[in-house]
Amino acid sequence: MTEADRELMQRYIYQVVRRLAKDQREETARELEELITDMAEQKGMEEALKGLGDPAVFAGKYREEPCWVIGPEYSEDYRWLLKIVLAAVALSVIVSGVVQGVLQRDGTGILTDVVSSAVMGAVSAVGAVTILFMILEKRKIRVDFKKEFGTSEKAGVERRNWIPMLLPPVPDSKAVIKRSDEAVNLIFEALLAGLMIFAPWLFGAYVFENGTFVRTIPIINLAQWNTILPVLLISLAAGFADDVVRLVCGRYCRTVLIVCLVSGAVQAVFAWIMLKALPFFNPDFIGEIRTEYDWKGTDGDLLTLYGTGRLENIVLLVIWACILIEMGVTVYKTVRYGKEQ
């Protein structure tokens, strides 16, 4: 077997096993290598791989899992992401309901609110994730998918235009994106979005008298919340989309780079709108803090910047710095390790 044939075989094996559960990958890779080697000795490597067919469909045979709405190459990521989003939505609803119940010490109407919020959040999550993956699959958002596949007639049917020479190379290990990192980001974003939608009043200072909760002094301007919330959700959605694309692609590539740059630009612009063009912070927060806690403020205390416009500038600069760092890392790793052949 020539070096070129061996590389082509490894490309095919990689495209199959990366779609399987981790506990299947090593054994499946060994079996495939033996199978392909035997077939290649009889009719050549390219013909052997043509005989096995589309690696995404071939991986589906190992999984033996039916796929209907989402095709086999996306179904595993779809189910995994849906579980994460649903868990985050459920957690945000439960947290807001429990905190509201504990603080208000009045269960009237809370259970109804929690159930209705959970149902609405779950339906929205399923719909959003499903539509997102349908778009990703239709547009072949994964760069390696664009190279690997032609046009299919329906999910699960082998693509007629697929040929072994279009298999993308096995990516550099430094170009691989850790799915666990993206899972944490998605959970945080979904949780934050849920809390902002269902219980924005949780963000603030809590006033107690004799161990009994009295009220919350919100740090967010709830009087303008109907205007602020859509801007915040658009910014979170941009970050959410970026993390989904990273999860789906699984490595640094041109698609991840483009989405990262667009998402970062959207987040930067909407952060400016939220903090500078809109009254994001509650203008009465410091006054109420002074009244309730007899707070005088000291030099160097961050809260002394509240209401001066400098706090908004600091928060905005921190957000922009984080966005630029993320962009820089993505550009570097894509150029350095994610080059496509």
Side-chain angles (χ1 to χ4, degrees), residues 9-10 24 74 89 107 118 133 147 180 184 203 239 246 270 275 278 327:
M9 177 179 67
Q10 292 303 324
Q24 290 183 270
Y74 285 85
V89 169
F133 269 81
K147 290 185 174 183
S180 57
V184 171
F203 299 90
R246 290 169 183 266
F270 277 85
L275 292 171
L278 298 176
M327 285 182 172

Side-chain angles (χ1 to χ4, degrees), residues 90 122 189 233 241 290 324 331:
E189 289 159 354
L233 291 181
R290 293 183 187 276
L324 288 175
V331 170

